[in-house]
Structure formats: C-alpha cells, structure tokens
Amino acid sequence: MKHKAETSPQPSSRKAPKVDDYCNVQTIRDSEGAEIWPATEKQMTAARAFLRECAEAKKKTLIVPDKDADGLSAGVIVYRTLVKLGLDPKLLDVHLVQKGSNIHVDEERKLMLEKKPEFIIVLDQGSRG
C-alpha cells in the first residue's frame, strides 16, 4: 500500500539576518577606473614573468602553500602552471609549514633551504607587518 507524502511544515517565522552578497562588495579601482583584483596589472605582469622565468630556468623550485583550501588550491594551480610551461615535475617540491609555525621561523627556513631550491614560491601565507 502506498503512503501519501506528508506536507511540508510551515515556514519559520524567524527572519534570517541580512548579509551583503559577495558580488555587492565594491571593487577597488585604479585612477583610470580599471578594477584592481586580485592585484594591480603591474603586479600580475611581474608574477607571470616570474613563473615563466622559473619554468625556463629548469632549476629546482619549492612551492610553499598554506594548508587551508585556498592555499592548497593555489599550490596546485602554480604546480600545474609550471609543468605546462615546461618545468620537469622532478624539479618541483612542496614544503608544508609545521602546525603552529610560520615561514618566518628559523626552523622552517632551515627546512626549506635543505631542499636546495633555486626558486621559492610562497602562497597564501599572509603578511608580516
């Protein structure tokens, strides 16, 4: 025997707090009105040139991403970009910073340098003011 589906409960009378939509956030613009995101065009050009230089040098490269979702994603993107640009994956290495540490700690720097990289690419590690 088939059972008739129950009807949905009445909607809640509680109102959800209003939160700005991500897309409603105002973008920073340069003096000509162009969006500055994720960085200035000059910085983006410099980053592209650095990645090309790194790939073309065919030297050992160390990628140091943060261990959160966006840091690891950035690491994968840079890894795949360097490989697509011609860098042999055998020349790529990854260093994950130990829990409770950061890239500015002497022990972390020592561990990174033990891998003898010619290039080090630090991703999503915040800033040091």
Side-chain angles (χ1 to χ4, degrees), residues 22-66:
Y22 175 76
C23 296
N24 290 339
V25 175
Q26 291 296 319
T27 305
I28 298 172
R29 297 181 181 278
D30 66 15
S31 60
E32 297 170 5
E35 290 184 357
I36 302 175
W37 191 92
T40 65
E41 187 57 37
K42 183 178 178 182
Q43 292 168 323
M44 294 296 290
T45 300
R48 286 185 205 102
F50 176 77
L51 290 176
R52 278 191 214 96
E53 176 189 351
C54 183
E56 291 167 3
K58 309 285 189 216
K59 303 262 178 150
K60 184 135 181 162
T61 300
L62 182 64
I63 300 172
V64 187
D66 194 6

Side-chain angles (χ1 to χ4, degrees), residues 51 54-55 61 78-87 92 121:
L51 290 176
C54 183
T61 300
V78 168
Y79 182 96
R80 289 182 177 180
T81 298
L82 291 170
V83 170
K84 289 271 186 192
L85 289 172
L87 186 60
L92 285 165
I121 302 172

Side-chain angles (χ1 to χ4, degrees), residues 61-67 72 92-98 101-103 107-113 115 120-121 125:
T61 300
L62 182 64
I63 300 172
V64 187
D66 194 6
K67 290 189 281 188
L72 294 172
L92 285 165
D93 203 349
V94 175
H95 174 76
L96 297 175
V97 176
Q98 299 172 58
S101 191
N102 66 64
I103 60 169
E107 180 63 21
E108 291 296 334
R109 289 177 177 248
K110 180 182 169 212
L111 291 169
M112 288 186 268
L113 291 175
K115 298 180 183 213
I120 299 176
I121 302 172
Q125 295 287 341

